[in-house]
Amino acid sequence: MLLSPPLLAFLVVYIGALAVVLVSSFWSVNAFTSEIEHTWTLANYRTIFSTSQPYLHIAGLTLEIAAAVTLTDAILAFPLAFFMARLAGRRTRALLFVMVLLPLWSSYLVRIYAWQTILAHNGAINWALNGIGLPDQNLAYTSTAMWVVFSYVWLPFMVLPVYAALERIPDSYLEASADLGARGWRTFRSVILPLALPGVVAGSIFTFALTLGDYITPLLVGGPGSTFIGNVVYENFATNVPFAAAFTLVPMLIMGVYLLIARRLGAFDAL
Amino acid sequence: MSGRSTRLPLALWSALVITFLWIPIVLIALYAFNGSTLQGWPIEHWSLHWFRVAWDSDARSALWLSVRVGLIVTAIALVLGTMAAAAVARFRFFGREAISFLLVLPLALPGIITGMALNSFFVFAGISVSMWTIVIGHSTFCVVVVYNNVVARLRRTSGSLLEASQDLGADGWQTFRFVLWPVLSTALVAGGLLAFALSFDEVIVTTFTAGLQETLPIFILDNLRQGQQLPVVNVVAFFVISATVIPVFLAQRVMRDTGVRVGAAARAQGGMA
């Protein structure tokens, strides 16, 4: 049998560990001994959904930035993907492909770090602003900085699936559309856009999910008010595993719903 | 749609987006040659001084750990990923659908969840952190990357090829060597490259499985958080950026030769964070 013991062990360990995390979210930590108490409680969930706590606000900010990043990347990527797939010559296309792939493969941390230096007070942005006679901006360590950096880091993930979807549209569809009297814009709206949509949704799975689960970018370029779900989870992990576990369920549930919608929009075939 | 009126704006937009993608990378590469300990722009004093300092720093042992972990993880991922793909693509068995779904989980779930789950498991099972706990952490998603690449290739390969080989009298090894291997080799190269690159760059799962050990990304992260040794981090960044040329060049060749779907690369990278 090809599904050999190591593979099964791998699955058992992984699934078992996930199950333990889920179950532990219904436990609590003794405030005095810091031991985990294995008694069933919804206390962690009550804390998360309590309006007197910051957690709903944090989840809201995380979602908001994830949505903004997804939208920004779609807007930045679509024209580029379109140019690559349908207009560029063979050589230009290959060149653009490498230009998109190289940043994707280069270190995620290094790319965040690059923005840290660019956004810094004495960094390249303020240098450029001063150069054209504008005053300094304090962009470093703000939620705006997080939006820019996330959009930057995940952008190639949007370009590639959109490109793949656009490239697969047969020329004959466009000719048929033109033969039926559709002008450029009409063809775009009624033929190209619907066929490219699964690609955009596929890309959005990456940009959305990766932003939702991240805690490194907020840590490195975010400010005092830019805590993400991931940061709370990471900080609580050392002291209060049940609470951290309960809070990870929030992005998991959001992603579950998102993936169900994405599948209905045909995004899985475009991956 | 391909009229001149739309072509020019789209070309301009593409150029701008590519510039946006590249400016940070070029800038951070230049900082490696910054002679000052201050990270201001423009760079006023150029120097190769920090390359020597970086070579003598902890970065070297961190690099070594990352390379070892990456190689072991790639080997594990190639073996287990290929076996799983072969099983799912070729046989119908009880739980097949469930396994093909479970195998995608490590990529679909945020890394922080995988990290927490594994850390809880290690504590629960009394396993102390070592290079092997990092290897296990990375293997979760690297196996899936190889699995995805190979399963896609096997689905496009007709089973009748293998039957034909057997009908012509080939034994199991010959069928593998002369029929299956030529079909799979590029998928394995692509999958292996991705697996190594993902492992080499992984941060989040590693923070949960490494303890006090430093892989190269953890070395960068620790120093960035504390704002220490930034000139050394600059050199490491320069090195890491230069090194990405290799997999991109190879992947580009492999993809051109075989038409590996671009989405597969993007999907695989989904496990990065």
Side-chain angles (χ1 to χ4, degrees):
Chain A
M1 190 61 213
L2 280 159
L3 265 185
S4 59
L7 195 65
L8 277 178
F10 166 77
L11 278 176
V12 168
V13 166
Y14 187 72
I15 303 304
L18 278 180
V20 169
V21 166
L22 292 189
V23 170
S24 77
S25 73
F26 296 100
W27 294 338
S28 63
V29 162
N30 186 306
F32 297 104
T33 61
S34 304
E35 297 276 324
I36 293 176
E37 291 184 344
H38 299 193
T39 44
W40 300 100
T41 168
L42 286 172
N44 295 317
Y45 293 98
R46 270 199 292 274
T47 311
I48 291 170
F49 289 103
S50 151
T51 44
S52 60
Q53 299 283 343
Y55 302 113
L56 273 182
H57 177 76
I58 289 169
L61 176 78
T62 312
L63 260 177
E64 206 177 294
I65 300 231
V69 166
T70 301
L71 191 66
T72 311
D73 278 345
I75 293 170
L76 289 178
F78 198 96
L80 169 63
F82 189 88
F83 183 78
M84 281 169 72
R86 319 256 6 150
L87 298 177
R90 238 171 51 105
R91 293 182 70 98
T92 319
R93 177 192 296 189
L95 179 72
L96 288 173
F97 217 82
V98 171
M99 300 285 268
V100 173
L101 273 181
L102 251 167
L104 177 76
W105 284 71
S106 75
S107 165
Y108 147 83
L109 266 180
V110 166
R111 286 182 291 151
I112 299 174
Y113 173 46
W115 276 100
Q116 226 184 9
T117 63
I118 291 172
L119 295 167
H121 190 70
N122 55 355
I125 291 248
N126 278 338
W127 172 79
L129 285 174
N130 293 338
I132 53 173
L134 291 171
D136 280 351
Q137 296 289 316
N138 288 317
L139 290 167
Y141 310 114
T142 61
S143 292
T144 314
M146 289 204 299
W147 166 65
V148 172
V149 175
F150 274 129
S151 301
Y152 173 78
V153 173
W154 308 139
L155 180 56
F157 290 109
M158 184 63 93
V159 177
L160 294 178
V162 177
Y163 165 83
L166 284 169
E167 198 211 12
R168 252 181 272 155
I169 301 174
D171 288 334
S172 56
Y173 284 25
L174 307 185
E175 284 160 21
S177 173
D179 289 348
L180 291 168
R183 296 276 182 78
W185 173 245
R186 182 68 205 271
T187 301
F188 179 77
R189 222 187 41 182
S190 309
V191 180
I192 296 174
L193 208 54
L195 289 172
L197 189 68
V200 177
V201 178
S204 79
I205 295 176
F206 298 117
T207 57
F208 196 75
L210 291 172
T211 311
L212 214 54
D214 197 279
Y215 69 90
I216 306 283
T217 303
L219 206 63
L220 293 179
V221 300
S226 28
T227 308
F228 259 39
I229 295 175
N231 299 88
V232 176
V233 172
Y234 187 68
E235 281 156 21
N236 275 280
F237 183 70
T239 52
N240 191 343
V241 173
F243 181 74
F247 210 20
T248 54
L249 278 185
V250 174
M252 277 174 82
L253 282 178
I254 295 171
M255 269 327 287
V257 173
Y258 200 88
L259 286 174
L260 281 179
I261 298 171
R263 189 157 77 172
R264 294 205 58 168
L265 292 171
F268 282 31
D269 304 322
L271 280 175
Chain B
M1 260 327 279
S2 49
R4 219 161 264 281
S5 57
T6 50
R7 196 186 169 87
L8 187 66
L10 282 171
L12 271 176
W13 184 269
S14 302
L16 282 177
V17 172
I18 296 287
T19 314
F20 172 63
L21 274 175
W22 275 82
I23 282 185
I25 291 177
V26 171
L27 280 185
I28 204 65
L30 289 176
Y31 270 110
F33 304 95
N34 181 6
S36 161
T37 49
L38 295 174
Q39 299 280 91
W41 185 263
I43 294 169
E44 274 156 15
H45 166 55
W46 301 84
S47 156
L48 288 171
H49 169 68
W50 298 110
F51 280 82
R52 167 156 293 272
V53 177
W55 181 251
D56 293 330
S57 72
D58 296 342
R60 198 169 48 166
S61 59
L63 169 67
W64 177 228
L65 179 63
S66 277
V67 169
R68 271 186 303 166
V69 168
L71 288 176
I72 298 171
V73 166
T74 306
I76 293 176
L78 283 174
V79 173
L80 293 187
T82 309
M83 287 197 302
V88 168
R90 280 283 166 263
F91 301 106
R92 317 211 140 264
F93 54 87
F94 177 73
R96 177 171 168 272
E97 288 302 313
I99 284 189
S100 67
F101 171 74
L102 289 178
L103 274 171
V104 184
L105 270 186
L107 281 190
L109 289 179
I112 197 163
I113 294 168
T114 302
M116 260 179 66
L118 287 174
N119 186 296
S120 307
F121 171 77
F122 293 145
V123 172
F124 174 75
I127 300 170
S128 54
V129 287
S130 66
M131 184 182 79
W132 294 100
T133 52
I134 307 179
V135 166
I136 292 171
H138 290 187
S139 296
T140 53
F141 50 88
C142 289
V143 167
V144 180
V145 166
V146 174
Y147 164 83
N148 274 339
N149 264 330
V150 175
V151 91
R153 184 64 55 84
L154 284 176
R155 287 215 173 106
R156 273 184 285 147
T157 310
S158 159
S160 56
L161 276 179
L162 304 183
E163 285 162 21
S165 166
Q166 281 156 0
D167 289 348
L168 291 167
D171 59 28
W173 165 250
Q174 284 171 320
T175 301
F176 174 78
R177 172 66 190 85
F178 296 109
V179 181
L180 207 49
W181 175 251
V183 171
L184 283 186
S185 59
T186 50
L188 288 174
V189 171
L193 273 173
L194 263 171
F196 185 86
L198 288 179
S199 163
F200 194 74
D201 194 34
E202 215 290 328
V203 197
I204 293 183
V205 175
T206 318
T207 55
F208 287 94
T209 54
L212 294 173
Q213 304 169 86
E214 278 192 328
T215 61
L216 202 57
I218 300 287
F219 172 85
I220 299 175
L221 180 65
D222 284 349
N223 281 303
L224 288 185
R225 288 184 66 179
Q226 293 153 16
Q228 285 173 346
Q229 298 196 69
L230 291 183
V232 172
V233 174
N234 291 338
V235 175
V236 173
F238 178 82
F239 168 79
V240 171
I241 289 171
S242 314
T244 43
V245 175
I246 303 165
V248 171
F249 175 75
L250 287 174
Q252 188 67 4
R253 282 193 71 117
V254 169
M255 284 188 191
R256 189 169 48 211
D257 294 350
T258 64
V260 170
R261 290 184 306 168
V262 283
R267 171 164 54 179
Q269 289 264 346
M272 188 168 67

